[in-house]
Amino acid sequence: MNEELIGRVGRHLRSWVTGRPPLGDTAGPGVATVVLEDPGHLTAVLGSDVVGPRTLVLVPGEQDGEEHASGATVIGYEGSLSEPGDDASVGDVLFLQVQDYSTSPYMSLLGTTLVRVAGETDFETFLADADTAKTEGTFAAFAVSPAVQLADLPALGGREPGDGPGTRLYVNREGDVSISPQGVRLGTVGDSAASLGAEWDRLNSESPADGSVALGAALPEEVRGPAVRQRPWLARYLAALDVQRDLQGHGVTDARVSGFGRRLVPALDAVTDAHDAVDPGAPFLSWTPEKAYVRVPGLDRTFQLGRRAAQITEMLLVHGSVEGVLDQPAQPDTPPVDRAAVDQVLAFFAAKGVPLVPDTSAVAVTA
Protein backbone atom coordinates (compact mmCIF):
# COMPACT_ATOMS: atom_id res chain seq x y z
CA MET A 1 0.00 0.00 0.00
CA ASN A 2 1.19 3.49 -0.76
CA GLU A 3 1.43 6.17 1.93
CA GLU A 4 -1.81 7.88 0.89
CA LEU A 5 -3.79 4.64 1.09
CA ILE A 6 -2.23 3.76 4.47
CA GLY A 7 -3.37 7.14 5.82
CA ARG A 8 -6.87 6.59 4.46
CA VAL A 9 -7.11 3.14 6.02
CA GLY A 10 -6.02 4.57 9.37
CA ARG A 11 -8.69 7.30 9.24
CA HIS A 12 -11.42 4.85 8.29
CA LEU A 13 -10.43 2.35 10.95
CA ARG A 14 -10.55 5.06 13.63
CA SER A 15 -13.97 6.11 12.36
CA TRP A 16 -15.27 2.54 12.28
CA VAL A 17 -14.10 1.92 15.84
CA THR A 18 -15.27 5.19 17.40
CA GLY A 19 -18.42 6.06 15.45
CA ARG A 20 -17.01 9.41 14.34
CA PRO A 21 -17.19 10.10 10.58
CA PRO A 22 -13.72 9.87 8.99
CA LEU A 23 -11.65 13.03 8.93
CA GLY A 24 -11.92 14.63 5.52
CA ASP A 25 -14.90 12.50 4.53
CA THR A 26 -17.16 13.91 1.83
CA ALA A 27 -20.88 13.34 1.59
CA GLY A 28 -22.07 10.87 -1.00
CA PRO A 29 -23.76 7.52 -1.56
CA GLY A 30 -22.58 4.51 0.35
CA VAL A 31 -21.31 3.92 3.86
CA ALA A 32 -17.85 5.25 4.74
CA THR A 33 -16.45 1.98 6.16
CA VAL A 34 -17.53 -1.66 6.09
CA VAL A 35 -15.76 -4.45 8.00
CA LEU A 36 -16.49 -8.07 7.09
CA GLU A 37 -15.67 -11.10 9.24
CA ASP A 38 -16.14 -13.56 6.36
CA PRO A 39 -14.79 -12.96 2.84
CA GLY A 40 -17.71 -15.00 1.54
CA HIS A 41 -19.94 -11.97 2.08
CA LEU A 42 -17.84 -9.61 -0.05
CA THR A 43 -19.78 -10.26 -3.27
CA ALA A 44 -23.11 -9.51 -1.60
CA VAL A 45 -21.77 -6.29 -0.07
CA LEU A 46 -20.25 -5.07 -3.33
CA GLY A 47 -23.47 -5.94 -5.15
CA SER A 48 -25.58 -3.76 -2.86
CA ASP A 49 -26.01 -0.02 -2.78
CA VAL A 50 -24.40 0.32 0.66
CA VAL A 51 -21.05 0.89 -1.07
CA GLY A 52 -19.94 3.77 -3.24
CA PRO A 53 -16.87 5.83 -4.17
CA ARG A 54 -16.36 6.97 -0.55
CA THR A 55 -16.49 3.41 0.84
CA LEU A 56 -13.56 1.49 2.24
CA VAL A 57 -14.26 -2.24 2.66
CA LEU A 58 -12.04 -4.26 5.02
CA VAL A 59 -12.23 -8.02 4.40
CA PRO A 60 -10.16 -11.00 5.62
CA GLY A 61 -7.64 -12.10 3.03
CA GLU A 62 -5.30 -10.62 0.45
CA GLN A 63 -6.79 -7.48 -1.03
CA ASP A 64 -4.45 -4.55 -1.65
CA GLY A 65 -6.61 -1.58 -2.47
CA GLU A 66 -8.53 -2.91 -5.44
CA GLU A 67 -11.20 -0.52 -6.65
CA HIS A 68 -14.59 -2.09 -7.35
CA ALA A 69 -16.91 -0.96 -10.16
CA SER A 70 -18.93 0.95 -7.56
CA GLY A 71 -15.85 3.00 -6.71
CA ALA A 72 -15.41 1.29 -3.34
CA THR A 73 -11.86 0.42 -2.24
CA VAL A 74 -11.30 -3.12 -0.91
CA ILE A 75 -8.51 -3.76 1.61
CA GLY A 76 -7.52 -7.11 3.11
CA TYR A 77 -6.70 -7.75 6.75
CA GLU A 78 -5.59 -10.66 8.91
CA GLY A 79 -6.87 -11.57 12.38
CA SER A 80 -9.93 -9.98 13.95
CA LEU A 81 -10.98 -6.35 14.41
CA SER A 82 -13.85 -7.29 16.69
CA GLU A 83 -12.87 -10.00 19.18
CA PRO A 84 -11.22 -8.81 22.43
CA GLY A 85 -7.93 -10.58 22.95
CA ASP A 86 -7.20 -10.91 19.24
CA ASP A 87 -4.76 -9.06 16.98
CA ALA A 88 -5.19 -7.72 13.47
CA SER A 89 -2.92 -6.47 10.74
CA VAL A 90 -3.65 -4.60 7.54
CA GLY A 91 -1.29 -5.11 4.65
CA ASP A 92 1.63 -5.90 6.95
CA VAL A 93 1.72 -2.17 7.64
CA LEU A 94 -0.87 -1.46 10.32
CA PHE A 95 -0.91 -3.66 13.42
CA LEU A 96 -3.58 -3.55 16.10
CA GLN A 97 -4.62 -5.31 19.30
CA VAL A 98 -8.23 -5.60 20.44
CA GLN A 99 -8.93 -5.65 24.19
CA ASP A 100 -11.97 -5.50 26.41
CA TYR A 101 -12.10 -2.54 28.78
CA SER A 102 -11.93 -4.33 32.12
CA THR A 103 -8.74 -6.27 31.34
CA SER A 104 -6.93 -3.45 29.51
CA PRO A 105 -5.28 -2.02 32.68
CA TYR A 106 -3.45 -5.34 33.11
CA MET A 107 -2.31 -5.79 29.52
CA SER A 108 0.90 -4.58 27.91
CA LEU A 109 0.29 -2.03 25.18
CA LEU A 110 2.44 -3.24 22.32
CA GLY A 111 0.99 -0.92 19.69
CA THR A 112 -2.32 0.56 18.59
CA THR A 113 -4.99 -0.93 20.84
CA LEU A 114 -8.75 -0.88 20.27
CA VAL A 115 -10.54 -1.07 23.62
CA ARG A 116 -14.12 -2.33 23.57
CA VAL A 117 -16.91 -2.33 26.13
CA ALA A 118 -18.11 -5.87 25.53
CA GLY A 119 -20.46 -6.35 28.48
CA GLU A 120 -21.68 -5.06 31.82
CA THR A 121 -18.40 -5.63 33.66
CA ASP A 122 -16.56 -3.53 31.10
CA PHE A 123 -19.19 -0.81 31.32
CA GLU A 124 -19.07 -0.70 35.12
CA THR A 125 -15.27 -0.43 35.02
CA PHE A 126 -15.48 2.36 32.45
CA LEU A 127 -17.93 4.29 34.65
CA ALA A 128 -15.76 3.80 37.74
CA ASP A 129 -12.75 5.21 35.87
CA ALA A 130 -14.79 8.15 34.60
CA ASP A 131 -16.13 8.91 38.09
CA THR A 132 -12.62 8.81 39.56
CA ALA A 133 -11.35 11.19 36.89
CA LYS A 134 -14.23 13.58 37.48
CA THR A 135 -13.97 13.70 41.26
CA GLU A 136 -10.24 13.18 41.84
CA GLY A 137 -8.63 14.23 38.57
CA THR A 138 -6.89 10.86 38.16
CA PHE A 139 -7.26 9.22 34.75
CA ALA A 140 -6.76 5.51 34.14
CA ALA A 141 -3.21 5.19 32.80
CA PHE A 142 -4.08 2.92 29.89
CA ALA A 143 -7.01 5.11 28.80
CA VAL A 144 -4.77 8.14 28.19
CA SER A 145 -2.08 6.23 26.33
CA PRO A 146 -1.61 7.58 22.78
CA ALA A 147 -1.79 3.94 21.62
CA VAL A 148 -5.38 3.45 22.86
CA GLN A 149 -8.66 4.16 21.13
CA LEU A 150 -11.97 3.52 22.90
CA ALA A 151 -14.68 2.02 20.74
CA ASP A 152 -18.30 3.07 20.28
CA LEU A 153 -18.01 6.53 21.83
CA PRO A 154 -21.68 7.53 21.28
CA ALA A 155 -22.80 4.63 23.47
CA LEU A 156 -20.42 5.77 26.23
CA GLY A 157 -21.88 9.25 26.41
CA GLY A 158 -19.93 10.86 23.60
CA ARG A 159 -21.72 13.35 21.41
CA GLU A 160 -20.68 12.13 17.99
CA PRO A 161 -23.08 13.42 15.34
CA GLY A 162 -23.03 11.31 12.22
CA ASP A 163 -22.79 7.80 13.68
CA GLY A 164 -24.99 5.24 11.99
CA PRO A 165 -25.18 3.07 8.87
CA GLY A 166 -23.95 5.94 6.71
CA THR A 167 -20.68 6.01 8.65
CA ARG A 168 -19.92 2.40 9.55
CA LEU A 169 -21.18 -1.14 9.13
CA TYR A 170 -20.06 -4.50 10.48
CA VAL A 171 -20.99 -7.87 8.94
CA ASN A 172 -20.47 -10.87 11.20
CA ARG A 173 -19.74 -14.42 10.11
CA GLU A 174 -23.46 -15.24 9.89
CA GLY A 175 -24.13 -12.27 7.61
CA ASP A 176 -25.89 -10.10 10.20
CA VAL A 177 -25.32 -6.37 9.72
CA SER A 178 -24.87 -3.86 12.54
CA ILE A 179 -22.85 -0.70 13.04
CA SER A 180 -20.43 -2.38 15.47
CA PRO A 181 -19.57 -5.86 16.74
CA GLN A 182 -21.58 -5.16 19.91
CA GLY A 183 -24.37 -3.41 18.05
CA VAL A 184 -28.01 -4.29 17.48
CA ARG A 185 -28.74 -6.12 14.22
CA LEU A 186 -29.95 -3.84 11.42
CA GLY A 187 -30.41 -6.42 8.70
CA THR A 188 -28.70 -9.04 6.54
CA VAL A 189 -25.78 -8.74 4.17
CA GLY A 190 -27.06 -7.60 0.79
CA ASP A 191 -29.88 -5.48 2.24
CA SER A 192 -30.28 -2.05 0.70
CA ALA A 193 -28.99 1.14 2.30
CA ALA A 194 -32.58 2.34 2.63
CA SER A 195 -33.58 -0.81 4.52
CA LEU A 196 -30.65 -0.56 6.94
CA GLY A 197 -31.29 3.14 7.44
CA ALA A 198 -34.98 2.56 8.14
CA GLU A 199 -34.16 -0.04 10.81
CA TRP A 200 -31.61 2.34 12.34
CA ASP A 201 -34.27 5.05 12.52
CA ARG A 202 -36.81 2.66 14.02
CA LEU A 203 -34.44 1.46 16.72
CA ASN A 204 -33.46 4.99 17.63
CA SER A 205 -37.08 6.08 17.82
CA GLU A 206 -37.83 3.21 20.21
CA SER A 207 -34.83 4.02 22.39
CA PRO A 208 -34.15 7.75 22.11
CA ALA A 209 -31.06 7.68 24.34
CA ASP A 210 -28.11 8.48 22.06
CA GLY A 211 -25.81 5.58 21.27
CA SER A 212 -27.94 2.69 22.47
CA VAL A 213 -27.83 0.84 19.13
CA ALA A 214 -24.02 0.69 19.06
CA LEU A 215 -23.82 -1.47 22.21
CA GLY A 216 -27.32 -2.89 22.34
CA ALA A 217 -26.30 -6.48 21.68
CA ALA A 218 -23.81 -6.50 24.57
CA LEU A 219 -25.29 -4.11 27.12
CA PRO A 220 -28.94 -3.83 28.23
CA GLU A 221 -30.30 -0.35 27.64
CA GLU A 222 -31.81 -0.33 31.13
CA VAL A 223 -28.21 -0.51 32.41
CA ARG A 224 -26.50 1.80 29.92
CA GLY A 225 -29.10 4.52 29.45
CA PRO A 226 -29.68 5.63 33.06
CA ALA A 227 -25.94 5.54 33.85
CA VAL A 228 -25.13 7.81 30.92
CA ARG A 229 -27.97 10.22 31.64
CA GLN A 230 -26.84 10.53 35.26
CA ARG A 231 -23.46 11.71 33.98
CA PRO A 232 -24.04 14.52 31.47
CA TRP A 233 -20.30 15.26 31.60
CA LEU A 234 -19.26 11.96 29.98
CA ALA A 235 -18.81 13.58 26.58
CA ARG A 236 -16.48 16.09 28.21
CA TYR A 237 -14.61 13.24 29.89
CA LEU A 238 -14.13 11.38 26.61
CA ALA A 239 -12.82 14.57 25.02
CA ALA A 240 -10.47 15.02 28.00
CA LEU A 241 -9.03 11.57 27.28
CA ASP A 242 -8.22 12.76 23.75
CA VAL A 243 -6.50 15.83 25.20
CA GLN A 244 -4.44 13.73 27.59
CA ARG A 245 -3.43 11.35 24.80
CA ASP A 246 -2.33 14.27 22.66
CA LEU A 247 -0.24 15.79 25.46
CA GLN A 248 1.36 12.45 26.23
CA GLY A 249 2.15 12.04 22.54
CA HIS A 250 4.09 15.30 22.83
CA GLY A 251 5.95 14.18 25.93
CA VAL A 252 3.73 15.96 28.50
CA THR A 253 2.85 13.49 31.24
CA ASP A 254 0.94 13.83 34.52
CA ALA A 255 -0.91 16.95 33.39
CA ARG A 256 -3.96 18.00 35.39
CA VAL A 257 -7.16 18.84 33.46
CA SER A 258 -9.27 21.76 34.61
CA GLY A 259 -12.68 20.63 35.83
CA PHE A 260 -11.53 17.13 36.69
CA GLY A 261 -10.73 16.92 40.37
CA ARG A 262 -9.75 20.56 40.71
CA ARG A 263 -9.12 23.87 38.96
CA LEU A 264 -5.89 25.78 38.44
CA VAL A 265 -7.59 28.72 40.22
CA PRO A 266 -8.88 27.11 43.44
CA ALA A 267 -11.72 29.63 43.87
CA LEU A 268 -13.28 28.29 40.65
CA ASP A 269 -13.95 24.94 42.32
CA ALA A 270 -16.96 26.57 43.98
CA VAL A 271 -18.54 27.73 40.71
CA THR A 272 -21.70 25.74 39.95
CA ASP A 273 -22.94 25.23 36.39
CA ALA A 274 -19.51 26.01 34.98
CA HIS A 275 -19.62 26.97 31.31
CA ASP A 276 -17.12 24.25 30.38
CA ALA A 277 -18.57 21.50 32.57
CA VAL A 278 -20.32 19.37 29.95
CA ASP A 279 -19.52 20.81 26.50
CA PRO A 280 -17.06 18.41 24.77
CA GLY A 281 -16.22 21.11 22.22
CA ALA A 282 -15.12 23.75 24.73
CA PRO A 283 -11.35 24.32 25.00
CA PHE A 284 -9.47 22.44 27.71
CA LEU A 285 -6.94 23.93 30.09
CA SER A 286 -4.29 21.49 31.33
CA TRP A 287 -1.25 22.16 33.44
CA THR A 288 1.84 20.69 35.05
CA PRO A 289 3.85 22.35 37.82
CA GLU A 290 5.98 24.02 35.13
CA LYS A 291 3.66 24.81 32.21
CA ALA A 292 0.04 25.30 31.17
CA TYR A 293 -1.63 24.29 27.91
CA VAL A 294 -4.87 24.94 26.05
CA ARG A 295 -6.17 22.33 23.65
CA VAL A 296 -9.25 22.80 21.47
CA PRO A 297 -11.10 19.60 20.49
CA GLY A 298 -11.12 19.16 16.75
CA LEU A 299 -8.25 21.62 16.25
CA ASP A 300 -4.87 19.99 15.87
CA ARG A 301 -3.02 22.64 17.87
CA THR A 302 -1.91 23.03 21.46
CA PHE A 303 -1.16 26.46 22.93
CA GLN A 304 1.31 26.94 25.76
CA LEU A 305 0.55 29.75 28.22
CA GLY A 306 2.21 31.54 31.09
CA ARG A 307 0.73 31.04 34.53
CA ARG A 308 -1.22 34.31 34.69
CA ALA A 309 -2.62 33.93 31.17
CA ALA A 310 -3.63 30.36 32.07
CA GLN A 311 -5.51 31.56 35.16
CA ILE A 312 -7.43 34.16 33.15
CA THR A 313 -8.14 31.59 30.43
CA GLU A 314 -9.57 29.20 32.99
CA MET A 315 -11.77 31.93 34.46
CA LEU A 316 -13.15 32.66 30.98
CA LEU A 317 -13.81 28.97 30.33
CA VAL A 318 -15.57 28.51 33.66
CA HIS A 319 -17.65 31.70 33.70
CA GLY A 320 -18.28 31.84 29.95
CA SER A 321 -18.17 35.64 29.88
CA VAL A 322 -15.87 38.59 30.47
CA GLU A 323 -18.26 39.95 33.09
CA GLY A 324 -18.08 36.76 35.08
CA VAL A 325 -14.29 37.00 35.19
CA LEU A 326 -14.31 40.64 36.26
CA ASP A 327 -16.83 39.83 38.99
CA GLN A 328 -14.70 36.97 40.31
CA PRO A 329 -13.75 37.85 43.93
CA ALA A 330 -10.01 38.24 44.46
CA GLN A 331 -8.30 35.46 46.40
CA PRO A 332 -4.91 35.36 48.16
CA ASP A 333 -3.49 33.14 45.44
CA THR A 334 -5.23 34.94 42.55
CA PRO A 335 -4.83 38.74 42.22
CA PRO A 336 -7.74 40.82 40.86
CA VAL A 337 -8.21 40.68 37.09
CA ASP A 338 -8.48 43.88 35.06
CA ARG A 339 -10.24 44.26 31.74
CA ALA A 340 -7.02 44.93 29.82
CA ALA A 341 -5.54 41.58 30.88
CA VAL A 342 -8.73 39.74 29.90
CA ASP A 343 -8.84 41.45 26.50
CA GLN A 344 -5.22 40.54 25.91
CA VAL A 345 -5.95 36.85 26.46
CA LEU A 346 -9.08 36.98 24.31
CA ALA A 347 -7.22 38.77 21.52
CA PHE A 348 -4.45 36.16 21.57
CA PHE A 349 -6.92 33.32 21.06
CA ALA A 350 -9.08 35.27 18.60
CA ALA A 351 -5.99 35.77 16.44
CA LYS A 352 -5.57 31.98 16.45
CA GLY A 353 -9.22 31.45 15.45
CA VAL A 354 -10.15 30.09 18.88
CA PRO A 355 -13.14 31.73 20.61
CA LEU A 356 -12.86 31.07 24.34
CA VAL A 357 -16.33 32.37 25.17
CA PRO A 358 -19.42 33.15 23.07
CA ASP A 359 -18.79 36.91 23.10
CA THR A 360 -15.15 36.66 21.99
CA SER A 361 -16.12 37.91 18.54
CA ALA A 362 -16.65 41.35 20.03
CA VAL A 363 -12.98 41.61 21.04
CA ALA A 364 -10.69 43.44 18.66
CA VAL A 365 -7.66 41.50 17.47
CA THR A 366 -4.53 43.51 18.03
CA ALA A 367 -1.04 42.90 16.83
Side-chain angles (χ1 to χ4, degrees):
M1 286 192 292
N2 60 42
E3 187 174 344
E4 180 180 355
L5 184 56
I6 293 170
R8 184 185 175 200
V9 172
R11 291 191 300 273
H12 278 256
L13 266 174
R14 178 176 292 270
S15 167
W16 181 76
V17 170
T18 62
R20 295 168 175 163
L23 290 174
D25 188 38
T26 56
V31 62
T33 312
V34 185
V35 170
L36 308 180
E37 285 282 4
D38 186 338
H41 295 132
L42 180 60
T43 299
V45 167
L46 294 178
S48 71
D49 67 346
V50 302
V51 299
R54 65 191 283 256
T55 305
L56 185 78
V57 180
L58 286 155
V59 59
E62 296 183 5
Q63 301 275 353
D64 194 22
E66 291 85 351
E67 186 170 308
H68 182 255
S70 64
T73 301
V74 183
I75 299 288
Y77 73 91
E78 301 295 330
S80 174
L81 292 167
S82 60
E83 292 296 328
D86 282 356
D87 300 324
S89 62
V90 182
D92 292 326
V93 176
L94 300 174
F95 300 90
L96 311 96
Q97 323 181 61
V98 184
Q99 299 291 349
D100 62 86
Y101 191 97
S102 58
T103 62
S104 290
Y106 312 105
M107 305 297 293
S108 297
L109 299 178
L110 303 177
T112 301
T113 303
L114 313 180
V115 176
R116 295 191 174 280
V117 169
E120 291 189 46
T121 299
D122 288 336
F123 186 60
E124 291 169 358
T125 307
F126 164 77
L127 292 176
D129 286 347
D131 289 341
T132 298
K134 182 62 175 173
T135 58
E136 301 177 17
T138 303
F139 293 81
F142 84 91
V144 298
S145 166
V148 163
Q149 180 59 67
L150 295 184
D152 303 314
L153 297 179
L156 301 179
R159 300 174 191 171
E160 306 293 342
D163 193 19
T167 292
R168 55 177 179 157
L169 289 174
Y170 167 73
V171 183
N172 68 14
R173 290 180 178 84
E174 291 71 37
D176 297 324
V177 179
S178 56
I179 64 167
S180 72
Q182 283 74 40
V184 177
R185 180 181 180 277
L186 300 179
T188 302
V189 63
D191 285 353
S192 68
S195 173
L196 298 176
E199 182 62 5
W200 165 263
D201 291 340
R202 186 189 70 81
L203 290 168
N204 279 285
S205 66
E206 288 183 353
S207 181
D210 291 340
S212 61
V213 180
L215 282 181
L219 190 63
E221 181 56 17
E222 58 268 24
V223 172
R224 190 205 70 89
V228 169
R229 289 190 290 273
Q230 290 165 12
R231 298 168 174 82
W233 44 266
L234 278 174
R236 183 76 173 165
Y237 165 71
L238 292 170
L241 293 180
D242 285 339
V243 169
Q244 290 281 65
R245 293 187 197 111
D246 177 77
L247 289 174
Q248 291 212 15
H250 288 85
V252 181
T253 59
D254 299 324
R256 301 298 301 253
V257 180
S258 179
F260 289 84
R262 56 167 289 192
R263 299 283 188 179
L264 176 63
V265 178
L268 296 175
D269 288 330
V271 176
T272 58
D273 298 323
H275 184 70
D276 66 345
V278 298
D279 181 3
F284 283 87
L285 177 76
S286 300
W287 74 93
T288 66
E290 297 80 23
K291 298 177 181 178
Y293 307 88
V294 169
R295 180 76 178 178
V296 184
L299 182 65
D300 190 23
R301 294 184 66 186
T302 300
F303 305 97
Q304 185 174 320
L305 302 178
R307 198 71 168 186
R308 186 56 175 156
Q311 291 174 335
I312 294 172
T313 298
E314 185 178 50
M315 293 180 191
L316 287 163
L317 292 173
V318 170
H319 290 293
S321 70
V322 173
E323 292 72 20
V325 175
L326 298 178
D327 291 341
Q328 174 78 33
Q331 301 292 324
D333 56 354
T334 309
V337 180
D338 60 56
R339 180 62 189 250
V342 175
D343 283 349
Q344 187 176 13
V345 170
L346 288 174
F348 168 81
F349 282 103
K352 307 296 184 182
V354 178
L356 290 182
V357 295
D359 59 1
T360 298
S361 59
V363 177
V365 177
T366 58

